[in-house]
């Protein structure tokens, strides 16, 4: 009997640990003065983490906050805003979308309702429109009522071309497309003064790259090497810990090189 009880207690502990490990916890990680990352879990989307298994970030400027990506649902909006408010009382003025995957932009509506302007490249918005229904359906199966209130909301400031320079409160922000990656239209936010890159899904560390049927690996590889020419001092990847370029090259660049040169040939 006691053996059975011990096994039952052990199972409960494991179940609790699993739930705790997958719960959403947004703690700002300082990258540089006024630049922060919100590093999400590297595992799958779960009910507990609100589908937010990705990295976001924000920049505090002299005229408000630039938020990089808006999360997976309307219900993650207050959690992200609370994390920003733990650092600054400045309002979130801009939300920049780096990609078309659900957890990068389906929280747009909440931030628009709270006064933020949504900004994205035209090619990114095109991908969002193409995948919106599929992503909403997928999230509904996992998140259930935690998807309530979420609707696809697209940028009101849509930027044409492959890059654009922006300035808020004296802080220079560039939005750049180097080539299609995990999804078509994946873009990078580059802070030229600080030499910091928020790469969206161009870069993964601490986990395998997500190679999906619509992921163009050859383009992804070329985009990575073009991005690497920036020589950032710090990189906030789409997934994984804030890194330097040595780690980024090893875990994303070298893997893409191997896929194209070896696996493609095989």
């Amino acid at each position: 009997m006691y053996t059975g009880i011990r096994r039952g207690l052990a199972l409960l502990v494991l179940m609790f640990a699993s739930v705790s490990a997958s719960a959403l916890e947004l703690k700002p990680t300082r990258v540089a003065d006024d630049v922060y990352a919100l590093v999400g879990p590297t595992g799958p989307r779960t009910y507990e983490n609100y589908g937010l298994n990705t990295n976001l970030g924000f920049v505090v400027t002299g005229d408000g906050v630039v938020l990089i990506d808006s999360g997976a649902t309307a219900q993650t909006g207050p959690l992200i805003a609370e994390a920003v408010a733990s650092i600054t009382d400045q309002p979130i003025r801009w939300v920049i979308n780096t990609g078309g995957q659900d957890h990068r932009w389906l929280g747009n509506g909440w931030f628009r309702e709270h006064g933020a302007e949504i900004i994205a490249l035209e090619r990114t918005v095109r991908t969002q429109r193409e995948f919106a229904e599929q992503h909403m359906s997928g999230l509904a199966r996992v998140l259930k009522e935690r998807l309530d209130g979420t609707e696809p909301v697209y940028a009101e400031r849509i930027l044409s071309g492959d890059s654009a320079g922006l300035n808020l409160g004296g802080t220079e922000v560039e939005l750049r497309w180097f080539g299609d990656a995990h999804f078509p239209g994946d873009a990078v936010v580059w802070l030229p003064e600080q030499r910091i890159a928020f790469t969206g899904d161009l870069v993964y560390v601490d986990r395998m790259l997500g190679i999906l049927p619509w992921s163009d690996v050859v383009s992804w590889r070329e985009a990575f090497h073009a991005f690497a020419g920036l020589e950032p001092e710090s990189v906030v990847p789409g997934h994984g810990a804030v890194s330097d370029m040595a780690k980024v090259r090893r875990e994303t660049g070298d893997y893409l090189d191997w896929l194209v040169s070896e696996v493609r040939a095989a």
Side-chain angles (χ1 to χ4, degrees), residues 5 17 24 31 35 48 53 60-61 65 79 84 96 98 104 112 129 138 141 143 190 201 206 209 211 219 223 253:
I5 291 173
L24 182 62
V31 184
V35 181
E48 290 77 17
N53 61 333
V60 183
T61 81
V65 173
L79 303 176
V84 173
I96 298 177
T98 66
R104 302 219 167 272
R112 179 179 288 182
R129 292 184 184 277
R141 290 192 294 271
L143 301 184
W190 172 237
D201 285 328
D206 302 325
L209 271 64
I211 309 294
S219 171

Side-chain angles (χ1 to χ4, degrees), residues 112-162:
R112 179 179 288 182
E113 289 176 2
H114 289 78
E117 181 181 15
I118 315 299
I119 302 170
L121 293 179
E122 182 178 13
R123 63 178 68 250
T124 304
V125 175
R126 191 159 57 241
T127 299
Q128 291 171 350
R129 292 184 184 277
E130 179 181 352
F131 284 90
E133 183 176 351
Q134 175 183 328
H135 288 170
M136 288 289 291
S137 297
L139 286 175
R141 290 192 294 271
V142 175
L143 301 184
K144 303 177 176 63
E145 81 283 355
R146 285 189 169 175
L147 190 62
D148 290 354
T150 304
E151 296 291 341
V153 171
Y154 306 99
E156 58 245 79
R157 197 195 311 188
I158 299 176
L159 307 171
S160 60
D162 296 344

